[in-house]
Amino acid sequence: MKFILPFAALVLSASPSQAQITLESVKSFAELEKVAAQLALQPYQAPTQQLDPFFEGLKYDGHRQIRFLRDKALFAEQGDAFRVEFFHPGWMFKKPVVFYNIKEPQTVGVPFDGSHFDYGDLKVPAGAKNPVGYAGFRVLAPDSLVKRPFEFMVFMGASYYRAVTTQLGYGISARGVAVNTIGGEPEEFPDFTHFWFKEPKAGEKSFKLLALLNGPSITGAYEFESTPGISTEMRIKASLHLRKPVKMLGIAPFSSMFWFGENSHPKPYDFRPEVHDSDGLQVEIKDGPSIWRPLDVSRDMRLSIFETDNLKGFGLAERDRDFNNFQDLEANYHRRPAVWVEPVSGFGKGAVTLVELSSGEETWDNIVAMWKPAHLPATPAEPLKVEYKLHWLDQHLPGALCRVISSRRGFVMDSDDHLYVVDFAKGAENGTAKPKDWTPDIDVVLSAGEGKVLDKRVMRNNETGGWRAFFKLDIPETTNLLEIMMELKDEKQVISERWMYQWRR
């Protein structure tokens, strides 16, 4: 089936003797790479559809009434296998997305079908025109995984997608690519316009799909292989082409929400002690430090850049799993997954980049983390190829190092000196077992502004079985920004994560 959408009839042929590649005939990532490369040489056309006035006017409450019928799921006939359910266009999601089933020996289209939906209490007018494509989709794992229907992955809106584990609910959002999130130019949000599903079989542990990315400045071919479980793993390949230069390109980007936490001052007038999807950025450098950066927000945007040519991984995490620290029975912020990016190839010189935006509520994602390559392709013909694993999990452990479990701050009593209190979980013993009363040394380094360390010490925390580090700072009135670094040491050997914090007036 051929879909009437921009570039739907795209045909590639290097020579008259070669077989043509159309969107309807794509069966492999290599073929999709050719489609993306050719598309980058053409003017950008945004995906659009003229929805029927009834669907065009739907608001949130109306759109959420429309439910896909479970027995109409794609691949439902495969038995105990992965299944796909689709989202109806409307409300904020009006762009059409086209779907194909790679069903050997051919690729077949998956057209929109209004009979696959329950419209609830909505009175759809007789003769209302059907949309030309779905708005997105979700994937259900085989029922045998958790002995019930289990939705573990959703793609919907631009290039956004999310995943959960068998133990943790939705939280952080990932996306295909970030364009001009910082740098002064308007941010772009390219779309996943077409998807190809590899028909699953009963007993398979992973679900495979291809996706075509298209935006004003970029095109791309993507391959996802997703395996749900206690930790849900996605193996992602991407081949990207720049139609035109961009100020900033973010690879493996994802976004989260941080309104306030244990380190926030002043706190909003809210009954909950903390409200966030994530409480820190984690970065690991090969043969270098393992970094923990507590999240925080202030009046101005906060930008943190961790440059390296030897990245081991990075991610956002919700390390606090204690319900008492959230007290939210509906949002269950203590059960939001962490996301860890494990580079496989294509991550050379660049920087893990963290953007923290001010927020006055919990509705919007205001935290963005991504990998920013130092060098970008110079022409549309030159691809940027990357491969990485995306782990959705409880938390990524920093090996044998002492792990940060809380970060608090305030003023010293009857003083304007700043007090920081950081708790560490105890790591593995290094060398000879230490005496029972042994405590590690603490190293505190200030940069980017003037400040003075007045006092620093470590004591055993019998409540956690780990260590509590204290230090006090004298920050002059003329200082508006201060970067703080702190580590625990056994003589010269670092035994903890490198705790890093950005203080702003």
Side-chain angles (χ1 to χ4, degrees), residues 49-60 62-63 65-66 88-95 112-115 117-119 122-133:
Q49 67 172 318
Q50 185 62 49
L51 286 175
D52 184 272
F54 177 80
F55 298 123
E56 177 74 27
L58 284 178
K59 304 301 182 184
Y60 170 77
H63 186 252
Q65 285 197 54
I66 306 176
H88 198 291
W91 185 44
M92 294 173 56
F93 307 100
K94 299 176 181 179
K95 292 180 181 178
F112 178 90
D113 191 335
S115 69
F117 292 92
D118 178 354
Y119 288 87
L122 294 177
K123 305 299 182 184
V124 181
K129 182 181 177 183
N130 277 337
V132 299

Side-chain angles (χ1 to χ4, degrees), residues 383-418:
L384 174 63
K385 296 190 177 187
V386 295
E387 184 173 354
Y388 55 95
K389 294 179 182 178
L390 211 56
H391 302 271
W392 306 76
L393 71 174
D394 181 80
Q395 61 179 296
H396 173 80
L397 297 175
L401 295 173
C402 297
R403 173 176 48 90
V404 177
I405 56 176
S406 67
S407 305
R408 295 180 172 86
R409 65 190 182 99
F411 284 124
V412 177
M413 186 178 295
D414 299 325
S415 170
D416 59 359
D417 294 333
H418 297 258

Side-chain angles (χ1 to χ4, degrees), residues 36 40 48 71 87 93 103 106 137 200 203 239 254 270 311 377 419 437 442 470:
T48 59
D71 62 344
F87 294 108
F93 307 100
K103 187 174 184 178
Q106 62 182 343
F137 66 97
S239 182
F254 42 95
D270 193 279
L311 181 68
L419 172 65
D437 60 349
I442 177 175
F470 302 81

Side-chain angles (χ1 to χ4, degrees), residues 471-489:
F471 60 91
K472 299 174 185 177
L473 301 179
D474 177 13
I475 303 178
E477 289 292 331
T478 54
T479 297
N480 293 313
L481 172 66
L482 196 62
E483 289 283 352
I484 311 168
M485 185 277 286
M486 185 265 289
E487 294 173 323
L488 301 185
K489 291 184 174 181

Side-chain angles (χ1 to χ4, degrees), residues 256-275:
S256 188
M257 181 276 295
F258 183 95
W259 186 16
F260 60 94
E262 63 202 13
N263 55 318
S264 298
H265 295 293
K267 286 183 171 63
Y269 190 60
D270 193 279
F271 77 94
R272 297 162 295 183
E274 301 179 42
V275 176

